[in-house]
Amino acid sequence: MLKAPDHQVAGHQAREGQLGPLVDDSGRFYKPLQNNGRGSKELAFYRSFFSDPRVPHHIRRFFPRFFGTLVVEASDGSGPQSHLVMEDLVSGLDRPSVADIKIGSRTWYPHAKEDYIAKCSKKDRETTSLTLGFRVSGLQIYDEDNEAATGGFWKQSKKQVQGFTAEDVRGTLRRFASSNPSAATAATADEEPDCAFAAVVYGGSGGILAQLLELKAWFEEQTIFHFYSASVLLLRGNGATEAARVKLVDFAHVFEGDGVIDHNFLGGLCSLIRFISEVLCGGSDGRPHPEKSSAAENGGQG
Amino acid sequence: MLKAPDHQVAGHQAREGQLGPLVDDSGRFYKPLQNNGRGSKELAFYRSFFSDPRVPHHIRRFFPRFFGTLVVEASDGSGPQSHLVMEDLVSGLDRPSVADIKIGSRTWYPHAKEDYIAKCSKKDRETTSLTLGFRVSGLQIYDEDNEAATGGFWKQSKKQVQGFTAEDVRGTLRRFASSNPSAATAATADEEPDCAFAAVVYGGSGGILAQLLELKAWFEEQTIFHFYSASVLLLRGNGATEAARVKLVDFAHVFEGDGVIDHNFLGGLCSLIRFISEVLCGGSDGRPHPEKSSAAENGGQG
């Protein structure tokens, strides 16, 4: 009954005999408990988060529902293994568009081992994490007009998103709210992403911007958790007729806040909010359409 | 007519033949133009900041007024040298209490040289910059009751503030708004800083918290400047009968924002705001008085 998810855009994938997450047909997502301590840390986070009375009820909806652990057959054929069981966030969404955005200028935490810090620092500097306070980790956007050519989704490879510039990130956030997400690629270089869904996906009282601002208000106050290397998922269904959702995922590096706010996450979140506001309202300089991005060109060549 | 400032709490000091800033008796502060490029960068910042129409008028008041450059005799006796001439921020304040707080989890900027990054990273990790998003760089608090013993001010040496823990920072922000700032040192270990001036210094529509929130709102929007290694100065006069002031200083490492918010500064500023809110409103856990800090003990021994 378990299978590899159809709409996973980042992280280890359960394909070709690899170990990765699985989904069932009742809306549950099974994530293998990693042996290196990350799995048990993520499990500890879910348990403490949902039992902590200091977490306001309205904030819990930004996190995947958690159902405990279950031993199931691992995707790599290595036999039964313990999995975290949580809500499958794309379940029920028709042709889901998904952007995985890793938040924080710094993905490493104080007191980490030096080699881990060096590895993370290098990646933060090679990607937009350092400069923008976040980076795109994965991406698929439903592309109605190119269902035959693209298999229905405009995607970018891991390597492509890792090479994103600030302008590529701007383009991505525009594409995410466009009916023609593959516009301004080599094939259609004269066309721009139309941002047709921006008002409904990003705007309004239930839109992504309002949800991010609600999260931000909590991060300005909460000193319980520090989230390193966690992601904001932006989700929407086909044609934006289904509500857009914001979710937080990946909690293998969550630490106690010790009475201090998570200024690293908050700063990055504010930067993302500023980028999305720009799509919704035009640039701060009144420039509504940024130049064609190099990501778009890469996308066309890829 | 020029002399070393009486109330400088951080940075190079014009004493014992060293090169440092000078003041006159008409409220102006003369900062030597450093030869290593920092001086010219700071000069360029002042010129662009005050001539940039995108900077709202109400934001300019957080920056020292700038009067240009002037060649005057340098404090180290090396002869005439160019100085930046700006507003002396403590001028007109009776017995000024001053806290210099360097904002940002990271004091280095992208594209800096590797040895500079390494030097700054080390200091960020050794101080509270990494964990709190800011560090105390200098401090003097008027101490009415101990005028004879302390010369009128409770101070901490550069070495002491560099060793501050989060709890020391909490204590400092309480002392800054107390009539007995040297309380809870070895001599008076049974007494706590009374926070007698917290409501008037930190609270109210003209208080430090309101000013910091106004700055924060600007940093959530502005993508013009990124401030590395700049400080927020908190200032108040004797007994808090004079208005408390917030100022930004030290602009030798300001860079163009290129359409991205200064998430590093903003995150640290939000963290400082959270600490000051805690002094004003009690801790988030309802604990009004943090334990005696180790800084206090160090202060008593020093």
Side-chain angles (χ1 to χ4, degrees):
Chain A
M1 293 298 288
L2 299 183
K3 57 166 192 162
D6 289 328
H7 305 296
Q8 187 189 346
V9 300
H12 301 287
Q13 306 222 346
R15 302 204 181 276
E16 295 161 8
Q18 301 294 302
L19 184 63
L22 299 164
V23 292
D24 65 18
D25 54 9
S26 73
R28 297 194 174 193
F29 185 90
Y30 299 75
K31 186 171 178 177
L33 257 171
Q34 295 173 278
N35 286 327
N36 52 12
R38 295 184 185 181
S40 58
K41 274 199 69 78
E42 185 154 31
L43 173 59
F45 169 75
Y46 274 106
R47 287 192 168 141
S48 87
F49 178 82
F50 283 107
S51 64
D52 194 317
R54 296 170 296 178
V55 177
H57 188 76
H58 70 101
I59 291 301
R60 295 188 181 191
R61 71 185 174 99
F62 291 113
F63 292 75
R65 291 174 63 201
F66 180 65
F67 304 106
T69 61
L70 197 69
V71 174
V72 300
E73 199 69 29
S75 65
D76 61 356
S78 62
Q81 189 181 322
S82 196
H83 288 64
L84 301 171
V85 186
M86 55 191 86
E87 179 187 2
D88 180 7
L89 297 170
V90 298
S91 173
L93 284 180
D94 176 36
R95 325 248 168 125
S97 296
V98 184
D100 181 305
I101 302 176
K102 197 183 281 281
I103 304 292
S105 172
R106 169 164 57 81
T107 55
W108 54 273
Y109 44 95
H111 313 301
K113 288 181 180 164
E114 287 303 323
D115 57 347
Y116 180 80
I117 292 177
K119 195 183 82 176
C120 293
S121 294
K122 184 166 182 284
K123 200 155 179 185
D124 295 344
R125 291 171 69 176
E126 287 170 353
T127 63
T128 64
S129 291
L130 182 69
T131 50
L132 306 192
F134 64 88
R135 66 176 177 249
V136 177
S137 285
L139 192 62
Q140 74 169 29
I141 307 174
Y142 178 55
D143 190 3
E144 190 175 2
D145 293 340
N146 293 289
E147 195 134 4
T150 66
F153 291 96
W154 190 78
K155 295 188 182 188
Q156 294 279 275
S157 71
K158 189 172 174 182
K159 192 157 185 180
Q160 283 171 319
V161 298
Q162 282 177 351
F164 269 11
T165 65
E167 211 49 55
D168 296 333
V169 170
R170 285 194 181 91
T172 295
L173 293 172
R174 295 175 60 81
R175 289 171 200 282
F176 188 79
S178 291
S179 72
N180 60 343
S182 60
T185 58
T188 56
D190 54 337
E191 200 189 19
E192 290 286 332
D194 58 17
C195 293
F197 308 133
V200 58
V201 168
Y202 290 144
S205 62
I208 280 175
L209 192 57
Q211 293 179 57
L212 291 174
L213 288 169
E214 197 178 333
L215 257 186
K216 167 178 172 260
W218 183 58
F219 272 92
E220 286 173 347
E221 289 296 323
Q222 75 90 10
T223 63
I224 315 168
F225 303 110
H226 284 196
F227 295 85
Y228 292 100
S229 211
S231 286
V232 159
L233 282 190
L234 307 183
L235 301 153
R236 69 171 178 88
N238 177 16
T241 53
E242 293 166 272
R245 303 174 186 169
V246 169
K247 299 285 178 178
L248 284 183
V249 295
D250 293 341
F251 308 118
H253 304 288
V254 178
F255 294 85
E256 287 186 17
D258 288 332
V260 179
I261 66 165
D262 189 352
H263 46 84
N264 177 61
F265 189 99
L266 177 59
L269 185 62
C270 289
S271 180
L272 175 62
I273 286 169
R274 184 65 175 68
F275 270 77
I276 289 178
S277 303
E278 220 176 282
V279 176
L280 200 56
C281 312
S284 59
D285 51 1
R287 185 176 55 114
H289 292 274
E291 295 87 58
K292 208 178 338 167
S293 75
S294 62
E297 287 155 16
N298 292 342
Q301 289 154 8
Chain B
M1 293 296 289
L2 299 183
K3 58 166 193 161
D6 288 327
H7 305 296
Q8 188 189 346
V9 300
H12 301 288
Q13 306 223 345
R15 303 203 181 277
E16 295 160 8
Q18 302 295 303
L19 184 64
L22 300 164
V23 292
D24 66 18
D25 53 9
S26 73
R28 296 194 176 194
F29 185 90
Y30 299 74
K31 185 171 180 178
L33 255 172
Q34 295 172 276
N35 285 327
N36 51 11
R38 295 184 185 181
S40 58
K41 272 199 71 80
E42 186 155 29
L43 173 59
F45 169 75
Y46 273 107
R47 287 192 169 143
S48 87
F49 178 82
F50 283 108
S51 65
D52 194 318
R54 295 169 297 177
V55 177
H57 189 76
H58 70 101
I59 291 301
R60 296 189 181 191
R61 70 186 175 98
F62 291 113
F63 292 76
R65 290 175 61 202
F66 181 64
F67 305 107
T69 62
L70 197 68
V71 174
V72 299
E73 199 69 28
S75 66
D76 61 356
S78 62
Q81 190 182 322
S82 196
H83 288 65
L84 301 170
V85 187
M86 54 190 87
E87 179 186 2
D88 181 6
L89 297 170
V90 298
S91 173
L93 283 181
D94 176 36
R95 324 248 168 125
S97 296
V98 184
D100 182 305
I101 301 176
K102 197 183 282 278
I103 304 292
S105 171
R106 168 164 58 82
T107 57
W108 55 273
Y109 44 93
H111 313 300
K113 288 180 180 164
E114 288 302 325
D115 56 347
Y116 180 80
I117 292 177
K119 196 183 82 175
C120 292
S121 294
K122 184 166 181 286
K123 202 155 179 186
D124 295 343
R125 291 171 68 174
E126 286 170 353
T127 63
T128 63
S129 291
L130 182 69
T131 50
L132 306 192
F134 64 88
R135 65 175 178 251
V136 178
S137 285
L139 193 61
Q140 74 170 30
I141 306 173
Y142 179 56
D143 189 4
E144 190 175 3
D145 294 339
N146 293 289
E147 194 131 7
T150 65
F153 290 98
W154 190 79
K155 295 187 183 187
Q156 295 279 273
S157 71
K158 188 172 174 181
K159 193 159 185 179
Q160 284 172 318
V161 297
Q162 282 178 351
F164 269 10
T165 64
E167 211 49 55
D168 297 333
V169 170
R170 286 194 180 89
T172 294
L173 294 171
R174 294 175 61 81
R175 289 169 200 284
F176 188 80
S178 291
S179 73
N180 60 342
S182 60
T185 57
T188 57
D190 54 339
E191 201 189 18
E192 289 286 334
D194 59 17
C195 294
F197 308 132
V200 60
V201 168
Y202 291 143
S205 63
I208 280 175
L209 191 57
Q211 292 178 57
L212 291 174
L213 289 169
E214 197 177 332
L215 257 185
K216 168 180 170 261
W218 184 58
F219 272 92
E220 287 173 347
E221 289 296 324
Q222 74 90 10
T223 63
I224 314 169
F225 304 111
H226 284 196
F227 295 86
Y228 291 100
S229 211
S231 286
V232 159
L233 282 190
L234 307 183
L235 300 153
R236 68 171 178 87
N238 178 15
T241 53
E242 293 165 273
R245 303 174 187 169
V246 169
K247 298 283 178 179
L248 284 184
V249 296
D250 293 342
F251 308 119
H253 303 290
V254 178
F255 294 84
E256 287 187 17
D258 289 330
V260 179
I261 66 164
D262 189 352
H263 47 85
N264 177 61
F265 189 99
L266 176 59
L269 185 62
C270 289
S271 180
L272 175 63
I273 286 170
R274 184 65 175 69
F275 270 78
I276 289 178
S277 303
E278 217 174 285
V279 175
L280 199 57
C281 311
S284 59
D285 51 0
R287 185 177 54 116
H289 293 275
E291 295 88 57
K292 208 180 334 168
S293 75
S294 60
E297 286 155 16
N298 293 343
Q301 289 155 8

